[in-house]
Amino acid sequence: MLRFRRSASRLQENFNLEALKKAFINPCYLQAEQERRRALGVDSEAAALALKDNIQLSEKGAGFTKSFLTDWCRVNFPSLRSEGVESVVAHLTSSPVVSYVARNLGIEDLTMSAECPVPDDVLHSTFMAVIGALEESSGVEQTGVFLRDFLATQLIGKDLFDMWTVVDPMGLLVEELTQRNLPLPEPRLVRAAGASTVLPLYFVGLYSDKKLLAQGPGETLVAAEEEAARVALRKLYGYTENRRPFDFSPLQPHQKQLIQAVSSS
Amino acid sequence: MTSRGTPSRFLQSVLQNGVGRYVCQLKRLSIIFSKNAQSSLGIREFIEEGVVDYAKNNPSTVVYVSPQSCRIPKIVAEYLNGNVREEIVTSKTSTQISEVITKLTNQSGLDIIRLRKPFHTDNPSIQGQWHPFTNRPPSIGPIRPQKQDA
């Protein structure tokens, strides 16, 4: 009990403790516990488990996480394609990232699981259940801030194309430019050095309407063209390295009042 | 041994702590001391004076006080990322113990090893990595070996 309360105050959230406790009980634990009781010869009716598992909470949390992160990405990268947004969200809600976050928040200690150490997928569903419990106890807005603080920060230092596998960046760039009614990109060799050596270097620039969109380096002309297309896509989507950092500042009191006023009216 | 041979890491924080909100990384603090040994005099004093205040000021840390018959009193700190640190507090005064506990509270729980640099960034260069054509006007021709007579 004490540990649950401490855990809630560590995350600086107001949890409904009953919901929080329920969030940590996984179905695999319940199964294992029932089998253990049966093996011990305890009558299943006499000592029925009065515990409920976290499947509902977990589903709720996962749905909310997905919708919130999608909205957050849309706000931060207004020009990013929906496939890009989907793959960024899929990366953030993937099992390795979520279980890494959950381990470093001390959720692993409280998780009731059949196996020990707790497998990644169980930890993933537990974290989602915690989010579901938070949504039940403190509302949508507070849960959004929680997700922003703990999941969206994992995006810091990540490149767009680490998360989003684009096989043919040139084709995608052509598609983007036709959507924006811009002339098609024209690759030109801008610079070259050491072409006859083992370490050649080529710079390919992409021109559209005689303006330089982007240039990229590469060891061969094909590689340089692909890199240039990736650079151009990053610029179009606003996901360059020198972009403005994400806003992770806590909600100001007057913002909170505004939101309350909007929601009450 | 030179410093190159020792284990090292970059300056980092757990889960980008403090970018969104600060989460105290100390999860559990167990104070192990003896009820009557001379060496735990200071820690008994600290338990009488400061431990309740400490627990009140740090609502996210669980504090266990366990009297055992031991000669060496110690403070065991467990961190959120699973690391455990033990501090031996033999014959320390109450203020010294309070300092030790403050230090343990403020630590991140990452391994205490050599830091390669006292700063770290995920984006090493804003204007891009250096290459042979950086700041080279396009009017100049291709890069060649320098002439001997020039």
Side-chain angles (χ1 to χ4, degrees):
Chain A
M1 192 68 208
L2 181 71
R3 279 194 294 168
F4 284 110
R5 199 171 295 149
R6 295 269 154 168
S7 166
S9 78
R10 177 181 306 136
L11 303 178
Q12 298 161 28
E13 297 290 352
N14 294 317
F15 275 104
N16 177 356
L17 284 180
E18 287 306 311
L20 185 62
K21 261 197 234 170
K22 192 174 145 197
F24 285 109
I25 299 166
N26 281 298
C28 62
Y29 168 78
L30 283 187
Q31 252 176 16
E33 185 67 18
Q34 263 160 4
E35 264 165 39
R36 201 170 64 91
R37 291 193 178 190
R38 210 169 297 139
L40 284 173
V42 181
D43 193 7
S44 60
E45 285 169 19
L49 274 172
L51 296 172
K52 281 183 181 173
D53 57 25
N54 61 4
I55 292 181
Q56 271 189 344
L57 278 177
S58 175
E59 275 169 9
K60 194 177 165 191
F64 177 75
T65 309
K66 201 161 189 187
S67 67
F68 173 79
L69 285 177
T70 309
D71 290 349
W72 186 83
C73 280
R74 289 253 158 80
V75 169
N76 277 285
F77 306 110
S79 47
L80 189 58
R81 278 174 92 89
S82 55
E83 293 114 47
V85 172
E86 266 169 36
S87 46
V88 169
V89 172
H91 167 78
L92 285 181
T93 53
S94 67
S95 189
V97 174
V98 171
S99 55
Y100 169 73
V101 171
R103 284 217 165 83
N104 283 294
L105 286 179
I107 286 177
E108 195 186 13
D109 298 351
L110 299 173
T111 306
M112 315 267 251
S113 157
E115 290 169 57
C116 190
V118 186
D120 274 8
D121 52 328
V122 175
L123 208 53
H124 180 267
S125 67
T126 315
F127 186 78
M128 290 305 170
V130 170
I131 288 168
L134 179 61
E135 197 193 342
E136 272 185 10
S137 33
S138 1
V140 175
E141 178 205 334
Q142 199 61 34
T143 318
V145 178
F146 180 87
L147 282 174
R148 192 200 67 181
D149 282 355
F150 290 111
L151 271 187
T153 43
Q154 295 301 306
L155 221 54
I156 294 175
K158 272 270 173 197
D159 183 44
L160 178 63
F161 294 110
D162 288 347
M163 297 177 278
W164 183 17
T165 324
V166 178
V167 184
D168 180 20
M170 201 61 193
L172 188 64
L173 181 64
V174 168
E175 217 174 290
E176 282 290 332
L177 289 182
T178 41
Q179 267 185 12
R180 288 161 208 226
N181 288 326
L182 288 169
L184 294 186
E186 194 185 337
R188 289 280 178 89
L189 180 63
V190 183
R191 260 120 184 221
S196 58
T197 64
V198 287
L199 286 171
L201 172 70
Y202 298 101
F203 264 76
V204 167
L206 293 178
Y207 289 85
S208 167
D209 197 17
K210 294 187 180 172
K211 276 182 203 140
L212 184 65
L213 275 182
Q215 56 173 1
E219 283 202 343
T220 59
L221 285 173
V222 181
E225 192 185 326
E226 198 186 309
E227 184 55 38
R230 282 183 198 275
V231 173
L233 281 176
R234 272 187 215 119
K235 277 190 186 168
L236 279 183
Y237 294 145
Y239 203 108
T240 48
E241 271 194 0
N242 53 359
R243 66 174 183 269
R244 206 187 144 92
F246 303 118
D247 181 21
F248 288 116
S249 52
L251 278 184
Q252 300 298 319
H254 68 270
Q255 276 178 327
K256 272 185 191 166
Q257 281 165 8
L258 276 181
I259 290 168
Q260 276 166 6
V262 166
S263 56
S264 63
S265 62
Chain B
M1 192 159 42
T2 56
S3 67
R4 280 193 165 199
T6 57
S8 61
R9 65 173 171 88
F10 289 103
L11 187 67
Q12 58 181 343
S13 67
V14 181
L15 282 188
Q16 317 277 1
N17 192 4
V19 174
R21 67 183 79 173
Y22 176 73
V23 176
C24 178
Q25 297 291 314
L26 182 61
K27 174 170 72 177
R28 201 171 297 157
L29 189 80
S30 335
I31 302 172
I32 296 165
F33 69 106
S34 161
K35 272 186 178 173
N36 39 24
Q38 165 69 42
S39 53
S40 0
L41 179 67
I43 203 156
R44 285 196 299 268
E45 216 167 85
F46 174 75
I47 285 166
E48 273 181 22
E49 290 168 2
V51 80
V52 176
D53 287 345
Y54 173 81
K56 268 182 197 158
N57 292 336
N58 295 276
S60 58
T61 312
V62 189
V63 183
Y64 294 104
V65 175
S66 56
Q68 296 168 4
S69 55
C70 61
R71 279 169 176 275
I72 302 168
K74 55 190 173 186
I75 294 169
V76 184
E78 288 173 53
Y79 290 93
L80 278 181
N81 57 2
N83 276 3
V84 181
R85 283 196 16 97
E86 272 186 26
E87 288 273 343
I88 290 171
V89 283
T90 316
S91 315
K92 283 196 173 159
T93 61
S94 171
T95 32
Q96 280 171 325
I97 287 165
S98 154
E99 274 165 19
V100 166
I101 287 182
T102 314
K103 184 192 82 182
L104 288 173
T105 312
N106 292 337
Q107 276 177 351
S108 70
L110 294 168
D111 296 330
I112 296 177
I113 49 180
R114 178 169 65 89
L115 292 178
R116 297 215 185 158
K117 282 170 194 166
F119 44 80
H120 181 72
T121 172
D122 288 321
N123 299 327
S125 171
I126 296 296
Q127 59 180 356
Q129 204 183 6
W130 183 90
H131 53 77
F133 304 112
T134 309
N135 302 328
R136 192 178 159 87
S139 53
I140 306 176
I143 295 175
R144 300 206 159 94
Q146 281 183 340
K147 281 180 190 165
Q148 292 299 322
D149 53 291

